[in-house]
Amino acid sequence: MPPPKKASHRQNTSSDDKPHAIPQSELDSHTEMQEAETTGPSPNEQADPTTKTEESAGVNAANPQRADVDAEQGETAASAAGEKAVNGTEKGEEKAPKKKGRKRKDDPSSSKGGDEPRKAPRRSGRGAATAQAQSQSSIDPIKMLRFLLSDEAAALCRPADEVEDIARHQQAGVKHPRTYSSSDFTPFEELLCAVILSRPISHRLGMRSIRTIFNPPYDFSSPKRIRDAGEEQRHQALWDAKTQHKAKTAEQIGLVADVVAERFIEGGNEDDTSLERVRKEADYDVEKEREILQTNIKGLGKTGLDIFFRRVQATWTSAYPFADPRTVSSIEKLGLPASAEALRDLIGERWQDLGEAVKGFKGAGMDEKKKRVFVRILEVAVGCDLEAKVDEARSAAEKR
């Protein structure tokens, strides 16, 4: 018998045996994967192991320098697992032949679909979840609301590198650097943020990307600014952010600007950032608004839409009150009501008890002011959760 042939790497060749050039997209992907190992999050970075950005999984808290690489590997593993679930085997495995024979009539595991193993009884986690919720709800909710509206909470829930970025911009003459955690954004800017935060990257990299594009020297705050910047400057902005998926994110930013400029600006003004045309086309119906945005904005899925409407609901009132499941989980961990309606009612009923904590909020009237308070509470709560600062937040609130 001749010896087995040695395995060799498959070459990408055409019928005339000439090697194909490697596509630029593969080179970009390889470069970003290499950079993830050298420019990844700092060793002090902590992340919620159940999240990546807002909803995705895969950030390795024990080895944060590999967090964003693991995010991509997690997607591959999930895909393989899904294939196994469908096909019943992993790649390279062969299905064992079924044994032929008559089924016993008294065998309760037999069914028309074939022999199946008896399923183990399901265990309910309702008791444990109830006990956890009762433990978390022991904190005074008014104390927690006051804390979440404070500067102390905003500072606690910022990524560590955000503090450094703010100091750097202030030294460069930017008095109030724009950040996702503490700045008011226009609907167009919120749409860009939602697209960025929908990418499979860590919370910290998402925040850094947003700070980079909305502060000098880029200021990508309108469709006109983004289109005038051009493709090269958009790529440079994402490179400066030291994030993952730079080329893809830069492309998406450009596509968002193009779609908004061509479909959703008022009076042909590319500086318009209101997205009011979206609301008019939808007749101010939130479900239609979501459908229009998802249909027209490439890369904007359910997670991105949830992020967007959570942030704009103070002025896009058709969405109010809204809290996606991820946000509900965060506020519940902090001892607050586990639904958007219940949190809205608590704020309204105890408004006077919030006192100084709500005096700095602006609005066209008391109703809008309460909506802005509602949104800020959701945002800070999510930030605390994503930065793994829930226990610290509860402790600080108790001391108020």
Side-chain angles (χ1 to χ4, degrees):
M1 178 182 295
K5 293 182 180 180
K6 294 184 179 180
S8 61
H9 295 286
R10 183 182 179 183
Q11 294 182 348
N12 185 12
T13 60
S14 62
S15 59
D16 57 0
D17 293 332
K18 292 182 180 181
H20 288 295
I22 299 175
Q24 185 61 38
S25 59
E26 294 186 16
L27 290 175
D28 290 342
S29 175
H30 180 67
T31 301
E32 290 183 358
M33 289 294 288
Q34 288 181 320
E35 183 201 340
E37 299 183 357
T38 58
T39 62
S42 64
N44 295 327
E45 179 177 350
Q46 294 182 358
D48 185 339
T50 66
T51 64
K52 139 181 106 183
T53 312
E54 295 239 354
E55 181 167 297
S56 307
V59 175
N60 188 344
N63 186 4
Q65 291 179 331
R66 294 289 300 175
D68 299 307
V69 177
D70 289 347
E72 293 186 349
Q73 293 175 341
E75 289 183 341
T76 303
S79 176
E83 182 179 350
K84 181 178 180 181
V86 173
N87 298 330
T89 61
E90 293 183 353
K91 191 174 182 180
E93 293 181 348
E94 295 183 0
K95 294 183 179 181
K98 294 183 179 180
K99 294 182 179 180
K100 296 182 178 180
R102 298 177 62 184
K103 298 177 186 177
R104 290 181 56 183
K105 293 183 179 181
D106 59 345
D107 185 356
S109 67
S110 298
S111 65
K112 292 182 179 180
D115 295 337
E116 296 180 357
R118 187 189 302 271
K119 294 183 179 179
R122 295 178 61 184
R123 294 184 179 181
S124 172
R126 186 176 301 173
T130 302
Q132 182 183 22
Q134 290 174 346
S135 173
Q136 290 173 348
S137 64
S138 61
I139 191 171
D140 182 348
I142 301 305
K143 285 185 176 182
M144 179 56 72
L145 291 179
R146 288 173 182 161
F147 171 73
L148 292 176
L149 295 170
S150 69
D151 292 339
E152 181 185 356
L156 177 66
C157 301
R158 281 195 180 104
D161 63 340
E162 184 168 294
V163 178
E164 299 169 3
D165 270 2
I166 290 173
R168 179 172 56 81
H169 282 297
Q170 289 175 338
Q171 290 173 0
V174 182
K175 189 175 181 181
H176 299 293
R178 307 188 73 200
T179 69
Y180 189 74
S181 59
S182 59
S183 299
D184 291 329
F185 289 155
T186 66
F188 173 74
E189 291 169 332
E190 295 289 8
L191 184 60
L192 285 179
C193 292
V195 169
I196 290 172
L197 295 175
S198 297
R199 303 296 299 159
I201 58 177
S202 70
H203 176 242
R204 183 161 299 188
L205 290 183
M207 299 295 101
R208 187 192 301 162
S209 299
I210 291 168
R211 291 195 306 273
T212 303
I213 68 171
F214 289 144
N215 283 295
Y218 300 108
D219 296 316
F220 292 165
S221 56
S222 72
K224 179 174 173 39
R225 284 181 177 271
I226 292 173
R227 298 178 95 185
D228 288 348
E231 183 178 354
E232 184 176 348
Q233 194 172 14
R234 291 195 293 269
H235 278 79
Q236 185 62 50
L238 274 299
W239 186 271
D240 288 352
K242 299 179 181 178
T243 186
Q244 280 279 20
H245 309 289
K246 291 180 283 294
K248 186 67 174 177
T249 305
E251 178 189 0
Q252 285 185 307
I253 288 174
L255 290 174
V256 171
D258 289 340
V259 169
V260 172
E262 294 164 10
R263 288 271 287 112
F264 300 125
I265 59 174
E266 293 284 309
N269 178 17
E270 287 191 33
D271 285 322
D272 175 37
T273 57
S274 68
L275 300 184
E276 190 64 18
R277 285 279 295 276
V278 175
R279 303 182 70 197
K280 289 178 179 179
E281 285 189 22
D283 197 24
Y284 300 94
D285 179 271
V286 65
E287 293 304 323
K288 292 180 181 178
E289 290 167 353
R290 290 175 71 101
E291 182 180 350
I292 290 171
L293 287 173
Q294 187 167 13
T295 300
N296 288 275
I297 304 300
K298 182 180 179 180
L300 188 68
K302 182 182 182 304
T303 298
L305 287 167
D306 286 348
I307 294 169
F308 176 78
F309 281 96
R310 187 183 73 213
R311 297 270 297 190
V312 303
Q313 62 183 306
T315 52
W316 289 36
T317 54
S318 58
Y320 177 81
F322 172 71
D324 57 279
R326 179 69 185 83
T327 305
V328 169
S329 173
S330 296
I331 61 177
E332 188 175 16
K333 290 176 184 177
L334 293 169
L336 294 175
S339 75
E341 292 78 10
L343 180 61
R344 174 202 59 193
D345 294 344
L346 175 64
I347 292 171
E349 292 166 2
R350 304 294 298 273
W351 183 257
Q352 297 300 323
D353 294 330
L354 297 178
E356 295 291 327
V358 297
K359 283 192 174 180
F361 285 83
K362 299 177 181 179
M366 182 60 69
D367 190 49
E368 183 178 331
K369 192 173 181 179
K370 289 180 179 179
K371 289 182 175 69
R372 291 188 180 277
V373 167
F374 175 86
V375 172
R376 176 60 62 86
I377 288 168
L378 295 185
E379 291 306 306
V380 177
V382 170
C384 284
D385 197 4
L386 291 171
E387 287 296 306
K389 298 290 183 65
V390 169
D391 290 341
E392 292 179 54
R394 290 174 63 88
S395 177
E398 286 285 13
K399 296 175 182 178
R400 296 184 74 81

